[in-house]
Amino acid sequence: MATTAIWGVTDRLKRVLDYAANPDKTAERSEGGGLEQVLAYTQADAKTEKQLYVSGVNCDPSTAYEQMQRTKRQFFKTDGILAFHAYQAFAPGETTPQIAHTIGVKLAQKLWGERFEVVVSTHLDKQHVHNHFVLNSVSFVDGKRYYDNKASYALLRQTSDRLCQEHALSVIEHPEPSKAKHYGEWKAERERKPTWRGLIRQDIDQAIASSMTMTQFFAHLQKQGYELKTAVKHMAIRPPGKTRFVRLRSLGDGYTEEAIKQRILRNRIPERERPSHVRRRRAMCKSHVRSGRKLRGLQALYIRYLFEMGVLPGKRKPVKKPSFRLREDLRHLSVLMEQTKLLCKYRLTHQEELLAFRDRLEEQIQSLHQKRKSLYNRIRRCKDAGQREQYKTQIAVCSKRLASLRKEVKLVQGILERSGELRETLNRSGAQDRKEEIFDEYRNGSRQSGCQHELEKHRSHSQDFRRRR
């Protein structure tokens, strides 16, 4: 049984090639130690034949990066998706590294061998043996890009299953639908960080629990700032701050239009919306913020943003449920807290102060860099062992200080880039709160009977008449 997946690489081609051909992952390890391992490693024949499971299709693995880059430059396609990274994972204990690597090479040759350069590596660092494929996105034959779609992935899946059957390995007869997740979403959920698709599911669940009809369901979503497409084949929604609509059926089996209708029909009494409970960190800035000092500018912006997120406690009324955009930013909570600490520590309130502070940091970095370079030069000329150790200690101090200053420069740059976005998010959140208040007033007013409405109207007229007298 082998599972497969493929995704595009847009950051650095060198990174994914180094990861795929990592000797720590592709080398067979001997159970012996010490001299036995050293002798086994120094035997060049054994090392090149079977210890490293790395092969190239239409390229040499040792020079694959240069060859792939040459192909891109030849056809003037050096941007966009740089490569495709695929894997093929086998069940634990079902196959050997030799067979797994053979299957991987055959798979690459059948699918991409006529037009693309591919590096195939077999990783042995997990309980299950698995193959990695790094596929150049540009063909060396005609310069056309590889087109990854459902049909190409289906061919990958079918070819993998056929090769597994040829080598007497099991295959997945009935794969479960709707189980695949994007890598970023899977990683965020594993690290217990919020994802925007997960936040949509939470809001839909809350809207379903608070509704008795589809009309009420739509109204609850609109109240939270969602845009709806209902007069289409597949119902879709767009979260606040996003540019694209999301089809409800893509969120899972329980979020299709028919499934939502059935869930609403099972409701007997709609639940009242409850404010979400966010874990609060009370001691975030207590060492830098003095009680009684009024916060202004960027400090006030960041403190208010954390308060609206539900991270900082409030002395007044309880915090409402944060908006979609605020909850999504919980992924970057650690960075926001570090930026807030920096602003409060150095009392930076305006962008001009922030720019001047960054210039001072860069001057200190340049000075320390020159000092460390001078110390390295002294070490090369120094022959006294004791003096060399003193120089090394001073270099370590400079390096530590440089790391701290560079971190602060990065935080300052992040504040400069995101402060406008934070203001816009807070403004949208305030507008959404006012919209919800109007919605609640209209809903509560519509529940009054005609008699009650006339009675209130009569009372207001009576009060006006008394004031005039």
Side-chain angles (χ1 to χ4, degrees):
M1 178 183 68
T3 59
T4 56
I6 186 170
W7 60 93
V9 177
T10 58
D11 54 353
R12 289 188 300 120
L13 178 60
K14 183 68 173 174
R15 174 192 62 79
V16 69
L17 284 171
D18 290 342
Y19 174 81
N22 186 355
D24 294 334
K25 299 176 179 293
T26 60
E28 263 189 325
R29 301 183 182 275
S30 173
E31 294 183 358
L35 180 61
E36 182 180 356
Q37 289 186 354
V38 175
L39 291 174
Y41 184 82
T42 55
Q43 293 174 357
D45 294 340
K47 177 182 175 182
T48 55
E49 286 180 5
K50 283 298 179 184
Q51 279 192 337
L52 292 178
Y53 296 98
V54 182
S55 301
V57 177
N58 300 318
C59 65
D60 185 352
S62 60
T63 59
Y65 175 73
E66 290 78 10
Q67 290 179 255
M68 291 184 181
Q69 289 290 81
R70 191 181 307 118
T71 300
K72 295 178 185 297
R73 289 193 296 268
Q74 178 184 354
F75 296 99
F76 305 101
K77 294 182 178 180
T78 57
D79 56 352
I81 295 180
L82 304 177
F84 286 91
H85 188 178
Y87 78 82
Q88 181 187 36
F90 301 90
E94 189 177 39
T95 184
T96 63
Q98 294 88 346
I99 295 177
H101 191 69
T102 301
I103 293 175
V105 173
K106 287 183 178 180
L107 179 65
Q109 289 173 341
K110 288 181 178 294
L111 293 177
W112 311 300
E114 295 182 357
R115 300 177 59 238
F116 294 94
E117 298 145 325
V118 191
V119 172
V120 184
S121 63
T122 303
H123 285 193
L124 318 176
D125 57 327
K126 304 292 184 182
Q127 293 182 352
H128 62 283
V129 179
H130 55 284
N131 292 325
H132 284 266
F133 308 88
V134 181
L135 165 69
N136 192 1
S137 60
V138 180
S139 171
F140 66 90
V141 176
D142 51 15
K144 292 183 179 180
R145 292 185 180 272
Y146 178 75
Y147 187 44
D148 179 38
N149 54 15
K150 292 183 179 180
S152 62
Y153 177 72
L155 182 60
L156 169 62
R157 174 76 266 170
Q158 294 167 7
T159 308
S160 174
D161 289 345
R162 185 168 63 252
L163 290 172
C164 287
Q165 290 174 344
E166 291 177 1
H167 289 79
L169 301 181
S170 62
V171 297
I172 302 175
E173 297 292 346
H174 302 287
E176 297 183 21
S178 304
K179 293 296 182 181
K181 291 183 180 179
H182 188 275
Y183 174 74
E185 184 179 4
W186 171 84
K187 184 180 179 182
E189 289 182 356
R190 188 172 185 179
E191 296 174 353
R192 296 184 179 180
K193 294 181 179 179
T195 63
W196 65 277
R197 294 174 70 88
L199 296 175
I200 292 175
R201 293 188 189 98
Q202 292 178 12
D203 290 339
I204 290 177
D205 292 339
Q206 180 61 44
I208 291 174
S210 305
S211 304
M212 297 294 289
T213 63
M214 287 295 290
T215 303
Q216 292 180 352
F217 170 72
F218 296 149
H220 281 292
L221 289 179
Q222 290 175 337
K223 176 184 173 182
Q224 298 180 58
Y226 286 91
E227 294 184 37
L228 305 178
K229 278 186 180 180
T230 56
V232 291
K233 182 178 180 181
H234 302 292
M235 192 164 58
I237 61 175
R238 182 167 67 182
K242 297 294 182 180
T243 58
R244 299 179 63 182
F245 280 83
V246 179
R247 289 181 176 178
L248 293 182
R249 66 171 189 166
S250 68
L251 300 175
D253 295 336
Y255 297 91
T256 63
E257 187 172 359
E258 185 61 32
I260 291 174
K261 289 180 180 178
Q262 295 299 324
R263 291 171 64 182
I264 291 176
L265 288 174
R266 288 196 292 267
N267 290 341
R268 294 185 178 179
I269 302 176
E271 296 181 1
R272 297 185 63 183
E273 186 174 353
R274 301 175 182 177
S276 62
H277 298 284
V278 182
R279 185 179 178 182
R280 295 175 176 175
R281 303 183 182 182
R282 295 178 180 272
M284 190 190 71
C285 299
K286 70 175 184 178
S287 61
H288 303 307
V289 181
R290 295 181 179 179
S291 59
R293 183 166 65 88
K294 186 176 181 180
L295 300 176
R296 293 177 295 180
L298 293 171
Q299 293 182 15
L301 172 66
Y302 270 77
I303 293 295
R304 182 189 167 196
Y305 198 81
L306 292 175
F307 172 75
E308 295 291 341
M309 289 175 70
V311 177
L312 293 180
K315 296 180 180 180
R316 293 173 292 178
K317 59 183 180 180
V319 181
K320 291 184 178 181
K321 179 181 177 180
S323 65
F324 176 90
R325 185 68 184 86
L326 290 168
R327 285 180 290 147
E328 189 184 21
D329 248 358
L330 287 172
R331 293 180 300 170
H332 313 295
L333 180 59
S334 59
V335 177
L336 290 170
M337 291 175 67
E338 290 296 328
Q339 291 173 346
T340 307
K341 288 180 182 179
L342 178 75
L343 293 171
C344 296
K345 179 180 179 180
Y346 297 103
R347 299 188 180 183
L348 303 171
T349 57
H350 298 92
Q351 186 174 358
E352 293 76 13
E353 297 176 0
L354 204 60
L355 291 171
F357 178 70
R358 185 183 63 179
D359 293 339
R360 292 196 298 271
L361 292 177
E362 290 177 347
E363 290 176 1
Q364 295 180 40
I365 289 174
Q366 186 67 21
S367 175
L368 283 173
H369 183 73
Q370 293 295 334
K371 181 179 178 181
R372 189 174 66 173
K373 185 177 180 180
S374 175
L375 290 171
Y376 276 121
N377 293 332
R378 292 181 186 179
I379 286 179
R380 295 189 189 97
R381 296 191 297 265
C382 183
K383 297 182 179 179
D384 185 3
Q387 187 64 36
R388 289 169 63 91
E389 290 299 323
Q390 292 182 9
Y391 289 150
K392 289 181 180 179
T393 302
Q394 295 178 27
I395 288 173
V397 173
C398 288
S399 298
K400 185 176 180 181
R401 178 58 180 160
L402 278 171
S404 176
L405 291 173
R406 286 169 178 158
K407 181 180 178 181
E408 290 184 345
V409 169
K410 187 177 180 180
L411 291 173
V412 169
Q413 190 62 33
I415 295 171
L416 291 171
E417 292 174 355
R418 292 205 60 192
S419 56
E421 183 181 344
L422 299 189
R423 288 192 183 94
E424 183 181 355
T425 301
L426 288 176
N427 291 336
R428 288 183 178 178
S429 179
Q432 185 62 33
D433 289 342
R434 289 190 294 271
K435 183 178 178 181
E436 291 180 8
E437 290 176 1
I438 294 173
F439 177 85
D440 290 338
E441 290 177 2
Y442 173 77
R443 184 179 59 181
N444 295 333
S446 63
R447 290 177 180 174
Q448 292 183 346
S449 63
C451 180
Q452 290 174 330
H453 179 70
E454 291 296 330
L455 181 61
E456 292 293 334
K457 185 178 180 180
H458 176 72
R459 287 175 179 173
S460 63
H461 283 308
S462 300
Q463 291 175 357
D464 291 340
F465 180 74
R466 292 193 188 98
R467 293 195 196 100
R468 293 171 184 173
R469 291 186 64 187

